[in-house]
Amino acid sequence: MTFHNAMVLAAGLGTRLRPVTDTIPKPLVPIAGRPMIDHVLDRLADAGVKTVVVNVHHHADLMQAHLALEKRLEIRISDERGGLMNSGGGLARGIRLLDRSNLFVMNSDLLWIGDAPGPSSNLARLARFFDPVRMDMAMLCVAIGDTTGHNGKSDFSMQPDGALSRYAEGVGRPVVYAGVIAMNPALLDDAPDGAFNLNLYFDKAIAAGRLFGMMMQGHWLTVGTPQAIGEVEDAIARFNGKG
């Protein structure tokens, strides 16, 4: 199964990255010589995605100007200049710009190294793993030991079949949410108006036994603080044999 749609959540203020984000939106902060969001868009294009919604707020003009340069993907802008919608509200509004087929949802401040190409890539595997009959969402997950830039805390406990619950010590396999979801937009048909956190739907899916995760391959990188920029670039350099 190939997903042709995606949404990239990119409207946040990037407060933990200040002062870097005082003059530039977080998704445009360069990592290994390229804006963070370009690494994300590359993954989506390589996986066969054709249309991507990106929500904008902080330094929205800079974001739109940069996204206008994208050649491989059709970019549609979900404008949040009038007020931030949080992760859930932003997603619920943004997916109205897409059709009703399955989609990826990705955070704009993550990337990974060591992924396989083509049908064996993380996104291709996640698309095949997602089963809307028994799942509300399928998350890409990673072990703490395979992360750089993360806060060191587990997010969920994973059962052998991939079922997820909130992390509890001694329950299943501890995993970190890698910031990628496969889902169908119908899940948010009952979304509340206004801003809300996507955790609302994570918890609903857990309660219904319909939140699942798949372990990613490679090493996961996330940039939340100025210190993490150097850590992530060092990890990329080591992977490329330059460190």
Side-chain angles (χ1 to χ4, degrees):
M1 179 188 302
T2 299
F3 286 23
H4 296 294
N5 292 335
M7 179 161 185
V8 177
L9 300 173
L13 299 175
T15 53
R16 292 190 302 134
L17 257 179
R18 289 175 177 164
V20 180
T21 50
D22 285 343
T23 57
I24 188 174
K26 183 178 180 180
L28 297 189
V29 172
I31 298 295
R34 302 181 66 227
M36 276 193 279
I37 196 168
D38 285 3
H39 295 280
V40 174
L41 296 176
D42 282 351
R43 295 291 187 189
L44 292 170
D46 289 345
V49 170
K50 304 299 182 185
T51 305
V52 180
V53 173
V54 182
N55 60 343
V56 299
H57 173 84
H58 186 54
H59 294 299
D61 291 345
L62 293 178
M63 282 291 293
Q64 285 194 261
H66 179 76
L67 293 169
L69 303 175
E70 172 60 40
K71 302 300 183 185
R72 294 200 291 172
L73 298 162
E74 178 188 350
I75 304 294
R76 300 177 182 175
I77 300 296
S78 182
D79 196 329
E80 296 185 19
R81 286 179 176 89
L84 282 168
M85 298 292 291
N86 207 326
S87 55
L91 177 60
R93 175 187 286 183
I95 59 177
R96 296 172 190 163
L97 301 174
L98 298 168
D99 63 31
R100 303 286 286 177
S101 61
N102 296 333
L103 75 151
F104 294 119
V105 181
M106 294 186 69
N107 294 342
S108 62
D109 59 350
L110 62 91
L111 56 155
W112 56 81
I113 49 179
D115 196 1
S120 297
S121 71
N122 286 317
L123 290 183
R125 290 170 54 238
L126 185 65
R128 292 193 299 270
F129 177 78
F130 176 57
D131 177 5
V133 174
R134 64 190 185 100
M135 303 176 187
D136 284 343
M137 289 182 266
M139 291 179 167
L140 197 62
C141 297
V142 62
I144 286 181
D146 293 324
T147 70
T148 294
H150 185 57
N151 61 16
K153 298 179 181 179
S154 295
D155 298 312
F156 296 96
S157 295
M158 178 185 287
Q159 297 303 315
D161 65 350
L164 295 175
S165 58
R166 291 292 180 182
Y167 172 69
E169 188 173 353
V171 177
R173 178 181 185 177
V175 297
V176 173
Y177 165 49
V180 184
I181 302 168
M183 59 170 280
N184 187 278
L187 178 65
L188 296 182
D189 283 352
D190 64 349
D193 294 331
F196 68 93
N197 195 293
L198 193 53
N199 276 293
L200 172 67
Y201 278 84
F202 293 169
D203 290 336
K204 283 185 176 181
I206 290 170
R210 293 180 58 84
L211 187 69
F212 283 76
M214 185 199 79
M215 298 302 293
M216 65 165 283
Q217 57 191 358
H219 190 84
W220 185 68
L221 312 164
T222 185
V223 183
T225 65
Q227 178 183 349
I229 295 174
E231 294 172 353
V232 164
E233 290 189 325
D234 287 347
I236 293 171
R238 288 193 301 271
F239 178 78
N240 292 330
K242 299 177 181 179

